Amino acid sequence: MTPDKDSNDYSPIAGIHPALASALAAKGYSELTPVQLAMTTGDHGEADLLVSAQTGSGKTVAFGIAIAPTLLGSSERFDVAAAPLGLVIAPTRELAIQVQRELDWLYAGAGVRIATCVGGMDMRTERRALERGAHLVVGTPGRLRDHITRGALDLSAVRAVVLDEADEMLDLGFRDDLEFILGAAPEERRTLLFSATVRRGIAELARTVQKDAVRIETTASTEQHADIDYQMMLVRRDEREHAIINTLLESDSSSALVFCHTREAVRHLTARLANRGFAVVALSGDMAQSERSNALQSMRDGRSRVCVATDVAARGIDLPNLDLVIHADVPSNPETLLHRSGRTGRAGRKGVCVLIVPENRRGAAQRVLGFAKLTATVRAAPGIADIEARTRRRILDAAVSAAEPDDAEADFVAELLDRVGPERIAAAFLRQQHAAHPVPEDLRPLPPEALRTGASGRDRRSADKPASAREPRGPDMQNGVWFTISLGRKHRADPKFLLPMICNAGGVTKRDVGAIRIDATETRFEIAADKAAGFAEKLRQPGSLERGIKIAPVGEANEKPKTAKPKFKPGGKPGQKPGHKHQAPSADRGKPPKHKGRKPKRPD
């Protein structure tokens, strides 16, 4: 007898197909998320479903629960695999592979066989898997259409189709592919459409591919995700990347995701963070599938702590313990903001979402937050003092929480104390802890009025002088050797940006760098005479500098440059030699490329 749903004895697992109930119980699903619960308690039967649910709410398990009666009927196990009974369409490779993994354990007790068909993988391997038979097929629109066109994928027996992240598939231009795929499936099928929002395009798609769909909304549109703390971090326009570095250093997060608008911005920021000593990986649409899989695995097993990604590449990925999301670029619309932010604060975990907002973009950020019905705390970027205070607390906590020496360690600990002494041991521990963390960036503080609600950008312009208007860093050194780096005002060069790059590239410290003089297309700087030879030798080693940047001596020792000679011919592009195709980083980096009539390549 089924217990009454209103009684205290009712378990949500009781409303799930028996073939899945044991798998959910083994995973510890004593409670279901709202969208999962809606799949068990509703009276929708075999109807089509149009479902809007919050990102990170467990949609994969939800639609797995919903289609189980359609695929299995009253049986607890599948028959021999032949033509697929179910089809799940996802916008990206990563999401499709993640869905396949979730459905694998959910349907393991039913003896399921799942085939994946995603861009970037070997089509011959996928074709052989389809020929061997599969109960479920999970794939991306472009690859699924290719297999149907070539006769490798037969959808004639499909009973249920799921469109996961349907809003993203429309944004990526997959509507024609979706209609082609669904046209190859039987008309008498169930179609479940899952989307974070049901805007006009989604509603039109639902009317086209569904019949009398039951509308299910599990989260009120005005409800802010309670597990995400939103912060709007105001920064000066030339210190955006410095603020990202300091935010990562200030955070206690073990895993962070940084979003950029473009692939080029991802490459640039990844290089900057790697040069600062962060364990960082990149994730963008132009990477091979093996590279993307390795990057995600590196984050999952803890070898990397930071992932810099584009929106499309990170769509739907689930990283464990992800508790910090940083928007390096202000999201262009509320849907992007919600989808990016939804990577954290999942399954009851708390998360922090930080929008890095240049002062001139404050209004745009506030509009996007308003449209998304979100409220954010306005704050300044953490400074060196904030980060050093946090580091001291971490070091003290690590020392206090350390266990007493065990029997195997006791003798050596006593020998260390006897030969070295507690002060030197503590100093060695302190230096080791400092060496394990990158050095924070020195940020100029914003005026107090800049952080007040409603502060105007026009009132703060006098406090935001460009780098070229400030005095050069440091006095001239005696007997210093002058070098030049191929970054200038046109590249938004700034001493705070250049100094760590110079030190990392040449293996010197800040004390070894003298004056820094920024010109239009290049910057001249001094290196202490006793360090200059080693500095020049280190520059000749591969990988010492980011791609496209060049450092070279200006003159002999004791000789200062008389005038700033133009490095490039008039009319040439900044950072580009005549006849040389490679261009150094510029102020325009990060803007989307112009396709000039070419159709963008499909992300999957």
Side-chain angles (χ1 to χ4, degrees):
M1 178 177 174
T2 303
D4 184 75
K5 295 180 182 180
D6 295 328
S7 72
N8 293 331
D9 296 330
Y10 175 70
S11 166
I13 304 296
I16 296 173
H17 194 286
L20 279 59
S22 58
L24 289 166
K27 280 277 188 177
Y29 275 73
S30 57
E31 294 184 3
L32 301 180
T33 65
V35 66
Q36 293 164 357
L37 196 59
M39 300 299 105
T40 68
T41 58
D43 297 324
H44 39 72
E46 293 290 297
D48 290 354
L49 302 180
L50 175 57
V51 184
S52 60
Q54 198 171 58
T55 300
S57 59
K59 295 196 299 296
T60 304
V61 170
F63 63 67
I65 292 170
I67 63 176
T70 308
L71 302 180
L72 288 161
S74 58
S75 302
E76 293 198 13
R77 290 186 64 84
F78 286 104
D79 293 331
V80 177
L85 304 176
L87 176 67
V88 182
I89 310 174
T92 66
R93 291 172 276 194
E94 283 71 32
L95 182 54
I97 293 169
Q98 182 177 304
V99 166
Q100 177 257 320
R101 288 173 180 160
E102 289 282 291
L103 295 179
D104 257 339
W105 68 258
L106 184 61
Y107 280 87
V112 73
R113 290 183 66 172
I114 303 177
T116 55
C117 300
V118 298
M121 304 298 282
D122 190 337
M123 284 193 71
R124 294 169 298 179
T125 302
E126 294 177 348
R127 187 183 186 103
R128 285 193 292 269
L130 293 171
E131 288 172 350
R132 288 193 297 268
H135 303 108
L136 279 168
V137 173
V138 182
T140 49
R143 180 55 63 89
L144 289 171
R145 181 169 185 166
D146 288 342
H147 280 301
I148 294 170
T149 303
R150 298 178 186 209
L153 177 57
D154 177 14
L155 299 183
S156 61
V158 163
R159 301 173 186 171
V161 177
V162 178
L163 278 64
D164 193 14
E165 303 277 13
D167 51 346
E168 178 69 3
M169 288 193 279
L170 289 189
D171 290 342
L172 295 174
F174 287 134
R175 176 157 186 157
D176 288 345
D177 290 335
L178 293 176
E179 292 181 352
F180 177 88
I181 295 166
L182 293 172
E187 290 190 12
E188 298 302 319
R189 65 170 191 271
R190 287 187 74 193
T191 305
L192 286 69
L193 196 154
F194 282 73
S195 176
T197 58
V198 181
R199 57 179 190 265
R200 181 178 176 181
I202 295 297
E204 290 176 353
L205 178 64
R207 286 194 294 270
T208 303
V209 302
Q210 292 183 305
K211 297 178 181 178
D212 302 321
V214 176
R215 178 78 169 88
I216 297 175
E217 186 171 4
T218 58
T219 302
S221 59
T222 58
E223 180 182 346
Q224 179 163 339
H225 197 318
D227 290 332
I228 300 179
D229 173 26
Y230 287 89
Q231 301 176 8
M232 184 166 72
M233 188 174 290
L234 292 177
V235 299
R236 298 179 186 276
R237 283 176 285 182
D238 58 343
E239 294 185 336
R240 184 176 61 92
E241 291 180 357
H242 296 168
I244 294 170
I245 291 169
N246 284 10
T247 301
L248 291 169
L249 290 174
E250 182 196 42
S251 172
D252 290 323
S253 69
S254 58
S255 185
L257 188 56
V258 184
F259 281 105
C260 299
H261 280 333
T262 66
R263 299 170 182 175
E264 184 59 35
V266 166
R267 285 193 289 269
H268 175 68
L269 184 57
T270 302
R272 290 290 309 277
L273 294 178
N275 284 343
R276 295 300 183 275
F278 287 94
V280 59
V281 293
L283 201 64
S284 62
D286 59 344
M287 295 169 60
Q289 182 60 39
S290 59
E291 294 176 307
R292 295 164 72 162
S293 299
N294 290 338
L296 289 173
Q297 187 57 43
S298 178
M299 291 291 291
R300 291 189 178 107
D301 61 26
R303 285 177 291 130
S304 298
R305 180 194 162 207
V306 183
C307 178
V308 184
T310 56
D311 294 316
V312 171
R315 186 74 177 202
I317 64 171
D318 186 17
L319 294 173
N321 305 316
L322 180 67
D323 43 19
L324 176 63
V325 168
I326 298 176
H327 303 263
D329 301 305
V330 176
S332 56
N333 56 65
E335 289 82 9
T336 298
L337 171 60
L338 291 169
H339 282 303
R340 285 179 174 184
S341 306
R343 298 302 102 209
T344 187
R346 300 165 75 90
R349 297 193 303 266
K350 299 293 182 181
V352 176
C353 171
V354 179
L355 284 79
I356 306 296
V357 182
E359 289 182 284
N360 63 315
R361 297 280 291 159
R362 178 173 183 162
Q366 288 175 327
R367 284 192 296 274
V368 172
L369 285 164
F371 289 140
K373 297 180 173 62
L374 299 173
T375 57
T377 303
V378 179
R379 58 165 296 192
I384 292 177
D386 302 317
I387 296 168
E388 288 179 343
R390 179 68 65 91
T391 302
R392 285 193 292 271
R393 288 196 296 273
R394 287 176 185 159
I395 293 172
L396 283 171
D397 291 343
V400 169
S401 62
E404 293 291 332
D406 58 27
D407 293 340
E409 299 167 333
D411 291 342
F412 190 55
V413 168
E415 183 182 349
L416 280 173
L417 287 170
D418 182 56
R419 295 184 58 181
V420 181
E423 288 82 7
R424 289 176 63 188
I425 293 174
F429 174 69
L430 180 64
R431 292 170 190 143
Q432 184 185 53
Q433 292 293 315
H434 278 303
H437 295 90
V439 177
E441 298 287 349
D442 185 15
L443 299 175
R444 291 174 294 149
L446 290 168
E449 62 271 15
L451 300 176
R452 288 201 293 266
T453 303
S456 168
R458 288 187 296 271
D459 298 334
R460 301 189 301 273
R461 284 178 184 169
S462 60
D464 190 24
K465 294 182 181 179
S468 58
R470 297 194 298 273
E471 291 296 320
R473 177 198 175 274
D476 291 350
M477 288 179 166
Q478 290 191 357
N479 301 322
V481 178
W482 286 80
F483 289 79
T484 180
I485 184 170
S486 58
L487 297 173
R489 285 193 300 273
K490 291 185 178 179
H491 312 104
R492 299 182 182 177
D494 181 272
K496 296 183 183 67
F497 162 84
L498 294 170
L499 187 57
M501 179 183 292
I502 293 167
C503 293
N504 289 331
V508 296
T509 67
K510 294 180 180 180
R511 299 188 193 93
D512 302 322
V513 183
I516 296 177
R517 298 180 178 176
I518 300 175
D519 297 323
T521 59
E522 64 181 4
T523 295
R524 294 166 293 142
F525 60 92
E526 277 184 304
I527 296 294
D530 59 335
K531 301 289 184 179
F535 180 85
E537 179 64 28
K538 182 74 184 303
L539 293 176
R540 286 192 281 271
Q541 298 177 10
S544 60
L545 276 168
E546 296 176 22
R547 186 179 177 185
I549 301 175
K550 183 179 180 181
I551 296 180
V554 169
E556 298 297 327
N558 303 324
E559 180 184 342
K560 296 181 183 179
K562 297 177 182 178
T563 58
K565 295 181 179 180
K567 187 165 183 169
F568 311 113
K569 290 183 179 180
K573 295 181 180 179
Q576 187 179 20
K577 292 183 179 181
H580 198 284
K581 294 183 179 180
H582 185 77
Q583 184 174 342
S586 70
D588 291 331
R589 180 160 291 190
K591 293 184 179 179
K594 296 180 180 179
H595 293 287
K596 297 183 179 179
R598 291 186 292 109
K599 185 176 180 180
K601 187 178 179 181
R602 261 191 333 231
D604 71 323

